Amino acid sequence: MLNILSTSLGGLDLLASAVLILDTQGRIAYANAAAETLLDSSFKVFHGQRLSDLFINGERLVSIFEQAMQRQFDEKREDIVLERVGRHALHLNMVVSVIDDPDHPVLIELRENVQQVKLDREERILDQTQANKELIRNLAHEIKNPLGGIRGAAQLLELELPGQGLKDLREYTQVIIKESDRLQTLVDRLLAPHRRPQIVGDVNIHEVFERVRSLILAEFPQGLKIVRDYDLSLPEFRGDKEQLIQAVLNIAHNAAQALAPRIAQGDAELVLRTRIARSITIAKVRYRLALDLHIIDNGPGIPAELKDRIFYPLVSGRDGGSGLGLTLAQTFIQQHSGVIECESRPGLTDFRILIALP
Ligand SMILES: Nc1ncnc2c1ncn2[C@@H]1O[C@H](COP(=O)(O)OP(=O)(O)OP(=O)(O)O)[C@@H](O)[C@H]1O
Ligand SMILES: [Mg+2]
């Protein structure tokens, strides 16, 4: 009789998928390196434990294991979500095979279901954005109301101050007034997307891109090359042109700012690309066609510590940045049944805007 554990299993450590071999009680008798990575624990720790005990919802594993023990199948494939205490759930493609070893009869292969992980991540981001928006809007209103009062009071106070000799006091009131004005500007930007109703008309996306191009070139006239890579067959669509310009401009503006060192060297490049994409999922809805727009720069990339948060308000990696540009851009694009995604590494940052077409 075969004893699989006495054979050489070292080669399995080279596999990308996780492989686990279970004994007749469903306990883990072997795990390859990928399994340790996936389970985020070492074989030493879970050796001899029942696989189903590692998860909150292990019942499904128990029942599949029992079916395997009764030889109801030789091989079974299934998508499964396994939940763990205090960690992200694992979304997996699982293959359970019955093998010819009486002591270790079940081999399980697990691979992360990347598509599902991505969908879940997008869903989380979407929920979070929604909650954020609500919070910001309420907070901005709360700040806005007393702010006028504070500024007004400081002005009155200043008028009451006797003339000479009290310059110091006037400096204090000026600080209050200036800081109130700064906050006012911030709050106005926070509330901007909620203030003006959308003005919808026929939009040609290339007019939007061309406007952004000329605005960026006006600000960065030297050392920045803007490459236009347009698919001129793209259809017009219904949208708010000013909002779209603002969204694309915010992204392109960040890129140009990140390119500053390369602009100085003279090899900064910004690519504006327009394409059509088919069969796209945006915010859990599937669309047959979508605009697929890219703003790509060859700058240093987004700092690792910001990467997951760049679309959050007030997150900035720039001196003097208010961290609202991408938040606003995302809001505007979402109002067009779209989404902005970002991929970035040193030398290549690609902001992708998807907008659903009817
Ligand atoms: N193309 C890019 N390359 C490198 N970093 C980027 C890029 N785009 C965005 N970032 C980073 O993301 C941060 C957030 O951008 P965002 O536009 O939201 O805010 P900001 O530019 O800091 O301020 P604001 O746009 O409100 O003036 C930036 O500060 C920057 O660190
Ligand atoms: Mg910005």
Side-chain angles (χ1 to χ4, degrees), residues 35-41 46 51-58 81-92 112:
E36 293 184 303
T37 310
L38 183 73
L39 300 175
D40 208 3
S41 176
F46 55 72
L51 178 61
S52 52
D53 288 345
L54 300 183
F55 305 101
I56 300 166
N57 60 341
V81 180
L82 293 173
E83 290 165 17
R84 303 174 290 178
V85 179
R87 303 199 203 158
H88 287 317
L90 291 171
H91 294 263
L92 303 167
E112 237 178 318

Side-chain angles (χ1 to χ4, degrees), residues 129 133 136 185-195 243-244 246-248 250-251 254 310-314 322-336 340:
T129 325
K133 254 188 244 161
I136 291 166
T185 314
L186 184 74
V187 166
D188 284 343
R189 281 190 75 197
L190 283 170
L191 290 171
H194 311 286
R195 181 153 326 123
Q243 279 191 356
L244 290 165
Q246 191 64 58
V248 178
N250 287 1
I251 296 172
N254 284 343
I310 47 169
F311 291 105
Y312 293 1
L314 311 182
S322 62
L324 288 179
L326 290 176
T327 311
L328 289 173
Q330 186 68 280
T331 305
F332 288 147
I333 296 299
Q334 283 175 356
Q335 286 175 359
H336 286 81
I340 307 176

Side-chain angles (χ1 to χ4, degrees), residues 70-241:
Q70 294 159 10
R71 291 213 157 239
Q72 290 185 16
F73 57 80
D74 288 330
E75 185 184 291
K76 192 182 189 90
R77 286 166 188 272
E78 189 167 310
D79 289 342
I80 190 166
V81 180
L82 293 173
E83 290 165 17
R84 303 174 290 178
V85 179
R87 303 199 203 158
H88 287 317
L90 291 171
H91 294 263
L92 303 167
N93 303 127
M94 175 169 73
V95 184
V96 181
S97 311
V98 179
I99 53 176
D100 202 14
D101 176 340
D103 295 328
H104 311 102
V106 176
L107 184 146
I108 296 186
E109 195 187 329
L110 301 170
R111 203 172 308 167
E112 237 178 318
N113 189 341
V114 180
Q115 192 60 30
Q116 191 57 46
V117 170
K118 188 161 176 277
L119 281 178
D120 279 9
R121 203 179 106 80
E122 278 166 10
E123 192 171 321
R124 264 207 318 278
I125 291 176
L126 208 70
D127 289 347
Q128 217 158 33
T129 325
Q130 208 50 46
N132 275 341
K133 254 188 244 161
E134 205 77 355
L135 174 71
I136 291 166
R137 195 166 155 181
N138 294 337
L139 201 60
H141 272 296
E142 284 305 317
I143 295 172
K144 196 174 168 59
N145 293 334
L147 208 54
I150 293 172
R151 192 188 194 282
Q155 264 174 324
L156 289 176
L157 189 61
E158 196 170 282
L159 290 177
E160 295 295 321
L161 289 177
Q164 294 302 314
L166 285 169
K167 244 177 91 205
D168 284 356
L169 291 181
R170 188 152 290 129
E171 263 172 36
Y172 297 156
T173 52
Q174 276 304 314
V175 168
I176 299 175
I177 291 169
K178 283 219 185 75
E179 289 299 301
S180 306
D181 287 346
R182 196 177 63 82
L183 266 179
Q184 182 71 46
T185 314
L186 184 74
V187 166
D188 284 343
R189 281 190 75 197
L190 283 170
L191 290 171
H194 311 286
R195 181 153 326 123
R196 181 171 78 82
Q198 268 198 318
I199 301 166
V200 177
D202 286 329
V203 181
N204 175 337
I205 197 62
H206 296 117
E207 283 176 16
V208 172
F209 269 46
E210 284 297 288
R211 252 294 268 301
V212 170
R213 177 173 169 272
S214 54
L215 288 167
I216 293 286
L217 280 179
E219 192 178 337
F220 303 87
Q222 247 144 43
L224 175 63
K225 182 169 150 208
I226 301 189
V227 178
R228 285 177 279 180
D229 177 7
Y230 295 163
D231 174 352
L232 293 174
S233 71
L234 293 188
E236 288 200 340
F237 63 104
R238 302 286 293 168
D240 182 325
K241 190 169 167 189

Side-chain angles (χ1 to χ4, degrees), residues 186 189 250-259 270 295-297 299-303 306 309-328 342 344 349-351:
L186 184 74
R189 281 190 75 197
N250 287 1
I251 296 172
H253 201 234
N254 284 343
Q257 283 168 332
L259 281 169
L270 189 67
I295 295 121
I296 305 168
D297 71 72
I302 292 165
L306 291 187
R309 299 182 293 132
I310 47 169
F311 291 105
Y312 293 1
L314 311 182
V315 170
S316 174
R318 222 161 36 77
D319 275 346
S322 62
L324 288 179
L326 290 176
T327 311
L328 289 173
C342 171
S344 177
T349 299
D350 180 356
F351 277 86

